[in-house]
Amino acid sequence: SYLIQKMYEELGKEKTFKIIEECGKIATESALKSFNVKPSLQLFKNMLSFMDFYGWGKFEVVKLIEKGDKLITQIKLTNSPLVEYAKQKFGKNSRVCILFLGNFSGALQKLTGKKPRVKEIACYTKGAPYCLFEIIVPRMKK
């Protein structure tokens, strides 16, 4: 949390996001090779449980809507030691959730070949009961 906050403060939102997004691409590429699997949105959903294993918190897909040529997903994050620390240390000025947004974006670009739109629509450090992210992904062609 501290590292992410300081990157954001020193480099700004866009540069921090791009660095984290690239890390998400690299991690996803590594997972694809390690597990010898093809890119898919199901793999992204499976990767969310690994984030909990690594101590990022519990991720839950709470909404999944197919709308035209887009897939709209909302992901809830609870029990995150990273976000809890950020709330205690930085309060409402926390920017730690850029870690999740950048990773979601990078991972989904690797898995779909398309750039998703990612945003946080509720934040625990700013008073919400949990963090809630919305991701809009152009659908993969079959």
Side-chain angles (χ1 to χ4, degrees):
S1 291
Y2 185 81
L3 175 64
I4 300 302
Q5 183 73 22
K6 292 305 171 186
M7 280 177 57
Y8 191 102
E9 290 173 3
E10 295 291 323
L11 300 175
K13 181 180 181 178
E14 286 184 34
K15 286 183 181 179
T16 301
F17 183 85
K18 285 182 187 236
I19 291 168
I20 296 169
E21 184 179 54
E22 190 62 31
C23 291
K25 289 177 186 176
I26 293 166
T28 302
E29 182 68 28
S30 178
L32 289 168
K33 286 179 184 175
S34 294
F35 298 123
N36 193 28
V37 294
K38 294 191 184 311
S40 70
L41 290 175
Q42 181 59 44
L43 180 61
F44 176 73
K45 190 174 177 184
N46 294 345
M47 289 171 68
L48 292 175
S49 61
F50 280 107
M51 293 171 129
D52 188 11
F53 176 77
Y54 286 117
W56 285 20
K58 180 175 177 13
F59 292 86
E60 175 187 353
V61 175
V62 293
K63 188 178 201 180
L64 186 62
I65 301 170
E66 293 184 38
K67 189 172 184 180
D69 63 346
K70 294 179 179 83
L71 186 64
I72 302 169
T73 306
Q74 288 186 353
I75 298 173
K76 179 167 106 174
L77 170 61
T78 56
N79 300 325
S80 172
L82 298 171
V83 177
E84 186 61 48
Y85 174 84
K87 183 176 183 174
Q88 292 172 14
K89 180 77 174 164
F90 306 109
K92 293 182 180 189
N93 293 320
S94 169
R95 301 295 180 246
V96 72
C97 288
I98 199 166
L99 172 69
F100 310 115
L101 293 170
N103 271 286
F104 292 158
S105 181
L108 287 164
Q109 282 180 62
K110 271 294 176 191
L111 295 173
T112 67
K114 300 178 185 214
K115 187 163 178 72
R117 286 195 332 227
V118 295
K119 67 180 178 179
E120 184 176 35
I121 55 178
C123 183
Y124 178 74
T125 67
K126 293 167 181 55
Y130 47 81
C131 295
L132 185 63
F133 306 97
E134 183 172 82
I135 304 167
I136 300 174
V137 181
R139 294 200 12 212
M140 295 173 67
K141 294 181 179 170
K142 295 181 181 183

